[in-house]
Amino acid sequence: MFLAGCNAVSLGDNDGGQETVKEEKQASDLKVGVSISTLNNPFFVSVKEGITTLASENDTKTIISDAQNDASKQSNDMDDLIQQKVDVILVNPVDSSAIQNAVESANAANIPVITIDRSSDGGEVLTFVTSDNVKGGEMAANFIVEKVGKGAKVAQLEGTPGASATRERGEGFENIAKNDLDIIQSQTADFDRAKGLTVMENMLQSNSDIQAVFAQNDEMALGAAEALKSVGKKDVIVVGFDGNDDGIKAVSEGKIAATIAQQPVEMGKLSLQAAYDYFEGKDISPKIDSPLELVEYK
Amino acid sequence: MMENIKKRKVSLGSLGPLLALIVLVIVVTILNPNFIAPNNLLNLLRQISINALIAFGMSFVILTGGIDLSVGSILALSGALTAGLITNGISPAIAMLIGMILGSFLGLLNGLLITKGKMAPFIATLATMTIYRGATLVYTDGNPITGIGDSFLFQFIGKGYLFGIPFPIVIMLLFFIILYILLHKTAFGKKTYAVGGNIKAAKIAGVKTDRVQIIIYTISGLMASISGIILTSRLNSAQPTSGQAYEMDAIAAVVLGGTSLSGGKGGLFGTLVGALIIGTINNGLNLLGVSSFYQQIVKGIVIIIAVLLDRKQNKD
C-alpha cells in the first residue's frame, strides 16, 4: 500500500476523492462564483444580469468573472473562484471541451457546478441550463404551418454541421415539418449571415416557388431576407432563431416574419434558482429548459 | 569607483519592480488574506507560467531592440499541431517534440525575415502573426481539437504535480534557469546585449548580429510553442483562438520587469518579476471580485507607472 501523500508525481488535485457533504444553506448565506464566456456579447451580459438581479433580491453574494472568450483565462478564473471557496459555481463555458478540467477541479474541491448555455464534456455537473432547441424548432415549424398552411414549400438553412444547436433545432423543425410541410431543400450556411445570403440565392435558382424559410439562427435569417428582397420575393416568410438584438429589430421592421427568441435573463435566473434549490435540499434535474418565446411581426 | 556606481545603479534598476511586487502583494493580502494561502500562491504561479515562458523568450527579443508579435499565434499553431498529431495516433512525446520544432521553425522564419529580408521586427511579426493564426484556423478548420486521450505524459505536462508543485511551474523555473545562464553567463548573452545596445558597434566588433537575431527569434518561437503545449494539456483540447493578445501580456511582463523597449538594458529576473506582477494583478483582483473591465484598466495603469518610474530612475 502506498500513501497518497508519498507520491512525488501525481495528476490532478491532491485533495480529490472526498465524499461530497452537502449542507443546507440560505440564499443570503451563499457565495456564488460566476464565470461568463464573454461580457462583450449582449446575450451573455443578459445571462449575467439575470443572475445578479435574482442574487440581489435574495442578498446572495456573487463574484463575477469574464473569460473574454479565452478558454485558458476561464480555466484560471475557475481556479480563482475555487480558491475563494465559493459555495457553487455557475459557468457559461467558452468551450465545452476546454472547461472539463476546471469542472473536475471544482468537483475535487466539492464545489457544485452549474453550466449555462454550453455544457461540459466531462466532470460532474449539477445541472445544465439551456434553451430547449428541439421545442424551438417545433415552434418555428408550427408558426409556418399556421401562416402559410399545410403542405407549404419550405427551405431550411442549417447551422454549423455537428453543432448541438444545429442538430436539435433541425430535429424539432423536422418533427413537425415532415408531416405538415414540404421541405424542398435543406442546406448548411454555418450560422453565418453572408453564407445565409448566398445559400438562399442558390436555392432560389433551383426553387423559385419557395413559400417559407426556416433559418436556424437570426444571422442566416437576415442573410436569407436580403436574398429574397433582391429578387423581389416579398411574400416569402422567413423565421429565425435566437432573438438577438438584430433579429428582434428585423422582426419589428417586418424584414423577417418571426424569430424564436431565447431568454438569456431567464436563463441566468434559472441557473441561480437551481443553486438555491440545491442548497435547500431539493432534487435537481440534470437539465433545465430555459423558456423560448415566439416573437412575430404584427 | 566608476564601476562601483554603475553596479549600484544596475541593482537599483532591478529592485524597483521587485519592490512594486512586494507592495502589491502586501496590499492584496490585506484586502483578502486568502491571497497568501499556499494553495493560491501555487495557483497563481501556475497561472503565470504560460505568460512567463513566452515573456522569457520575449526578453531576448526586446533586449536586441526587437519585438515579437507572433507568439500568441505560434502558441496556438504548435498546440493545435501537437493535439492533432496525438489524436492521429502519434505518441505524445514525439508529437510534443514536433510541436516544439514547429514553434522554433516559425520563430526562425521571423528571424530570417528580419535579418535577411531586412524587415522591421514589428512589421515582420505582425504579418506572421496573421499568417500563423490563419494556418491554425486552416489546420483546425476553426474547431477545437479534442479527444487527445489520457496519455499520462501529456496530461502531466499541464496538470501534473511534482512533489506537490504543479508541473507547469517546474517547467517555468527550469527554463528560467537555462535561459538565465544563457543570457547572463555566456558569450551569446553578451552578444544579445551588444546587438541591442548598438547593432553597428556590435557588427564592427565582429558579432555576427544576424545569427544572434535569428537565434533569439527561434528561442522566442520555441518558448511560445512550449506554452502552447502546456495550455493544450491543461485544457485537454487545442483552441484555434487561444493565445490571442498574449504577446501584449508578454511584452508587458518584460517592460514591467525593467527591460527597455529600445534594447540593451534589462534582464531575465526582471521579466519573472514582471510576470508575477501581472499575475498578482489578475489573480488578486479576481479574488477581490473586481470586474475584468477594471482589471484591464488597472493593468494598463500599472504598466504606465512602471515605465515612468523606470525613466526617472535611469535619468537620476
Side-chain angles (χ1 to χ4, degrees), chain A residues 7-15 31 39-40 63-73 75-77 79-81 83-85 94-95 97-101 104-105 121 160, chain B residues 32 34 39-40 43 46-47 143-144 146 152 155-156 159-164 231 233-237 239 241-244 246 282-283 286-293 295-296:
Chain A
N7 288 344
V9 175
S10 64
L11 260 184
D13 287 300
N14 293 327
D15 52 352
K31 189 157 94 175
L39 291 176
N40 280 336
I63 303 165
I64 315 264
S65 56
D66 168 13
Q68 296 168 342
N69 260 335
D70 179 342
S72 84
K73 180 172 190 305
S75 169
N76 289 341
D77 287 346
D79 283 344
D80 289 344
L81 291 172
Q83 291 299 329
Q84 293 177 80
K85 301 191 170 61
V94 171
D95 181 85
S97 59
I99 199 67
Q100 186 176 336
N101 288 322
E104 283 165 1
S105 301
D121 287 353
T160 313
Chain B
N32 187 338
N34 273 347
N39 251 341
N40 187 53
N43 172 38
R46 182 171 61 191
Q47 292 181 359
N143 294 316
T146 58
F152 181 82
Q155 299 293 326
F156 187 76
K159 286 177 278 188
Y161 286 80
L162 194 66
F163 300 108
L231 200 56
S233 164
R234 267 204 85 190
L235 299 176
N236 211 20
S237 69
Q239 305 284 316
T241 53
S242 71
Q244 264 168 354
Y246 281 26
N282 284 341
N283 172 271
N286 262 357
L287 289 196
L288 300 176
V290 176
S291 134
S292 71
F293 297 171
Q295 292 187 24
Q296 297 180 37

Side-chain angles (χ1 to χ4, degrees), chain A:
Chain A
M1 281 290 282
F2 288 101
L3 291 174
C6 292
N7 288 344
V9 175
S10 64
L11 260 184
D13 287 300
N14 293 327
D15 52 352
Q18 283 169 262
E19 277 284 315
T20 309
V21 187
K22 186 172 85 179
E23 51 175 320
E24 299 201 359
K25 277 196 175 186
Q26 299 279 322
S28 55
D29 297 333
L30 285 178
K31 189 157 94 175
V32 178
V34 183
S35 172
I36 303 281
S37 62
T38 171
L39 291 176
N40 280 336
N41 177 328
F43 185 87
F44 298 117
V45 174
S46 300
V47 171
K48 184 203 83 175
E49 278 166 6
I51 295 169
T52 49
T53 308
L54 184 60
S56 65
E57 281 167 14
N58 292 288
D59 285 327
T60 305
K61 190 173 185 293
T62 56
I63 303 165
I64 315 264
S65 56
D66 168 13
Q68 296 168 342
N69 260 335
D70 179 342
S72 84
K73 180 172 190 305
Q74 184 158 47
S75 169
N76 289 341
D77 287 346
M78 290 274 286
D79 283 344
D80 289 344
L81 291 172
I82 293 167
Q83 291 299 329
Q84 293 177 80
K85 301 191 170 61
V86 294
D87 296 298
V88 57
I89 294 177
L90 312 183
V91 57
N92 154 237
V94 171
D95 181 85
S96 318
S97 59
I99 199 67
Q100 186 176 336
N101 288 322
V103 172
E104 283 165 1
S105 301
N107 290 158
N110 281 324
I111 299 172
V113 178
I114 293 171
T115 53
I116 308 168
D117 194 45
R118 299 179 193 124
S119 195
S120 167
D121 287 353
E124 267 186 53
V125 169
L126 187 60
T127 182
F128 170 37
V129 180
T130 184
S131 293
D132 187 343
N133 284 308
V134 176
K135 194 167 161 242
E138 291 173 351
M139 287 164 73
N142 282 326
F143 174 79
I144 291 172
V145 173
E146 184 193 312
K147 289 286 165 188
V148 197
K150 281 202 170 194
K153 290 185 171 166
V154 294
Q156 181 175 223
L157 294 177
E158 299 166 31
T160 313
S164 61
T166 303
R167 280 183 279 117
E168 292 162 9
R169 291 171 189 184
E171 182 192 329
F173 181 71
E174 281 152 33
N175 281 346
I176 304 293
K178 68 171 185 270
N179 294 322
D180 292 351
L181 295 166
D182 177 12
I183 304 177
I184 50 177
Q185 264 196 320
S186 187
Q187 276 183 30
T188 180
D190 290 330
F191 287 132
D192 182 87
R193 191 182 300 203
K195 285 186 188 161
L197 171 75
T198 51
V199 171
M200 191 71 235
E201 281 171 349
N202 295 341
M203 282 181 167
L204 285 168
Q205 293 300 319
S206 45
N207 297 286
S208 59
D209 52 350
I210 289 172
Q211 292 171 280
V213 179
F214 169 52
Q216 291 177 356
N217 80 344
D218 286 341
E219 287 296 311
M220 296 188 295
L222 289 166
E226 289 302 324
L228 291 162
K229 196 172 122 193
S230 65
V231 294
K233 287 203 169 287
K234 283 182 188 155
D235 49 349
V236 177
I237 281 183
V238 179
V239 180
F241 205 118
D242 279 346
N244 62 24
D245 287 355
D246 264 10
I248 298 282
K249 189 161 160 271
V251 171
S252 70
E253 290 167 352
K255 281 184 187 160
I256 61 176
T259 180
I260 309 300
Q262 301 197 62
Q263 296 184 54
V265 174
E266 215 40 47
M267 216 179 247
K269 283 185 178 167
L270 284 170
S271 58
L272 183 58
Q273 187 59 49
Y276 290 160
D277 290 349
Y278 173 77
F279 284 102
E280 277 173 19
K282 293 183 190 164
D283 280 335
I284 309 295
S285 153
K287 194 173 166 223
I288 294 173
D289 286 331
S290 166
L292 291 162
E293 184 190 9
L294 179 91
V295 181
E296 62 175 309
Y297 177 63
K298 304 268 185 198

